[in-house]
Amino acid sequence: MSVSSHVQELRKKHQNLSETVEQAQRSPGVDDLQIAALKKEKLRLKEQIERLSS
């Protein structure tokens, strides 16, 4: 897998995670710890994308 295709795949995962976080924040039954874990994973992906892009 080339670096650019890997970065593109990470961006898709990041976008999907963004949508999941937004949906979880709108849902009253979702635990704040679960949302925090999703946000941490999203940040980890973002950092990995930035590292591979530079």
Side-chain angles (χ1 to χ4, degrees):
M1 178 182 279
S2 71
V3 173
S4 62
S5 63
H6 185 60
V7 168
Q8 189 171 12
E9 188 65 31
L10 290 174
R11 285 189 174 134
K12 285 180 190 176
K13 287 181 182 180
H14 184 269
Q15 181 61 36
N16 289 338
L17 207 48
S18 289
E19 293 169 6
T20 302
V21 167
E22 287 178 26
Q23 190 174 32
Q25 287 176 327
R26 283 188 238 118
S27 177
V30 180
D31 185 22
D32 287 341
L33 291 176
Q34 187 178 5
I35 293 172
L38 290 170
K39 286 182 175 183
K40 283 183 183 179
E41 178 65 16
K42 186 178 157 188
L43 180 61
R44 188 187 67 77
L45 286 173
K46 182 180 176 183
E47 290 171 346
Q48 192 173 4
I49 291 167
E50 288 175 357
R51 196 171 45 248
L52 291 173
S53 294
S54 59

